[in-house]
């Protein structure tokens, strides 16, 4: 009897802990998305140039490393906002370039709507079905590395067809990452809401930019 009560108590504690991680993750994710949008708007208002590939990669991986190292300290949150704010700054010039094109605003709004629909649908599915998508971890990691290298190849060798293929690939990979990370939180695989937030933010950011690229290409604007 006591063993059963102890097991139930442990189960309830795990559920409460999972709910807390979920609540903190979605709260912080909402805040970082708003902050990223604000920095993107600031970048557009000031007409800042794009920092370039090397500086973007250095800033992204450097700040991501800082978040990972400081995820359990009081400096973890400032690092998260530094990372998402920086990504917003790099997004501003891209949005400005699209807005200068015919129907550019429509392409941006469609990409935003598509990103929101995909995120809400996949997150909702993972939360309601409570399926375990941990088996996708290795596949997603390999796919992201291949896609990243393919993207670099498309930039350096100026191959538009490869760039479009990589964008399509990232739409699928980031969709899978949303399912994977949400499931990871639900089943206790991820207990740090800072890292969960960063993972979901990166998925949303890459999903949006990939959709933007694909929609722009289909609209003949690239």
């Amino acid at each position: 009897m006591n063993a059963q009560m102890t097991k139930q108590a442990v189960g309830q504690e795990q559920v409460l802990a999972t709910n807390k991680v979920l609540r903190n993750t979605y709260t912080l994710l909402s805040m970082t998305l708003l902050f990223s949008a604000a920095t993107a708007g600031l970048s557009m208002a000031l007409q800042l140039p794009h920092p370039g590939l090397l500086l973007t990669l250095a800033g992204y991986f450097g700040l991501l490393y800082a978040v990972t190292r400081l995820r359990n300290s009081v400096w973890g949150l400032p690092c998260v906002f530094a990372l998402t704010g920086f990504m917003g700054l790099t997004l501003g010039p891209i949005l400005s370039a699209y807005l200068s094109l015919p129907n550019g605003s429509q392409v941006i709004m469609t990409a935003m709507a598509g990103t929101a629909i995909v995120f809400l649908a996949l997150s909702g599915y993972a939360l309601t079905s409570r399926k375990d998508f941990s088996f996708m971890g290795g596949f997603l990691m390999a796919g992201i590395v291949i896609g990243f290298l393919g993207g670099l190849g498309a930039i350096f060798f100026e191959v538009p067809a490869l760039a479009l293929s990589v964008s399509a690939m990232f739409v699928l990979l980031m969709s899978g990452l949303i399912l994977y990370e949400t499931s990871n939180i639900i089943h206790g695989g991820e207990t740090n809401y800072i890292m969960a937030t960063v993972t979901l933010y990166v998925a949303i950011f890459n999903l949006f930019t990939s959709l933007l690229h694909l929609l722009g290409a289909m609209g003949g604007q690239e």
Side-chain angles (χ1 to χ4, degrees):
M1 185 67 177
N2 289 335
Q4 183 178 1
M5 292 179 64
T6 301
K7 185 177 181 179
Q8 290 177 346
V10 171
Q12 289 176 351
E13 288 179 2
Q14 291 176 340
V15 170
L16 290 174
T18 297
N19 290 339
K20 183 179 180 181
V21 174
L22 274 173
R23 182 172 63 253
N24 290 341
T25 297
Y26 285 120
T27 299
L28 183 57
L29 181 63
S30 300
M31 294 171 65
T32 54
L33 288 172
L34 288 173
F35 183 65
S36 189
T39 58
L42 177 64
S43 178
M44 295 169 67
L46 297 176
Q47 298 182 347
L48 298 178
H50 194 275
L53 178 63
L54 293 180
L55 184 56
T56 298
L57 291 178
Y60 170 72
F61 284 111
L63 290 168
L64 183 61
Y65 175 77
V67 170
T68 303
R69 286 296 302 271
L70 301 172
R71 64 186 181 275
N72 294 316
S73 75
V74 295
W75 294 104
L77 284 175
C79 287
V80 171
F81 281 99
L83 172 62
T84 55
F86 174 75
M87 296 308 293
L89 288 175
T90 65
L91 182 62
I94 298 174
L95 296 179
S96 295
Y98 275 92
L99 288 174
S100 66
L101 300 172
N103 299 322
S105 59
Q106 183 178 353
V107 171
I108 292 174
M109 294 306 296
T110 304
M112 289 179 62
T115 301
I117 291 170
V118 170
F119 176 74
L120 292 174
L122 293 178
S123 296
Y125 177 73
L127 289 169
T128 54
S129 69
R130 304 191 72 82
K131 289 185 177 180
D132 187 356
F133 291 97
S134 60
F135 65 91
M136 298 172 63
F139 168 77
L140 289 171
M141 179 61 68
I144 290 171
V145 171
I146 293 171
F148 176 72
L149 295 176
L152 291 180
I155 293 173
F156 288 124
F157 297 106
E158 299 182 355
V159 185
L162 178 58
L164 287 175
S165 298
V166 169
S167 292
M169 181 179 179
F170 263 91
V171 168
L172 296 177
L173 287 170
M174 294 304 105
S175 298
L177 185 58
I178 291 170
L179 278 175
Y180 170 80
E181 189 62 19
T182 306
S183 170
N184 209 22
I185 298 171
I186 294 172
H187 296 284
E190 180 58 83
T191 58
N192 187 293
Y193 73 95
I194 287 180
M195 295 308 301
T197 298
V198 169
T199 301
L200 290 176
Y201 173 87
V202 169
I204 292 171
F205 184 92
N206 285 311
L207 178 60
F208 171 69
T209 54
S210 297
L211 284 175
L212 192 64
H213 185 201
L214 291 172
L215 292 170
M218 287 189 292
Q221 300 191 33
E222 296 192 6

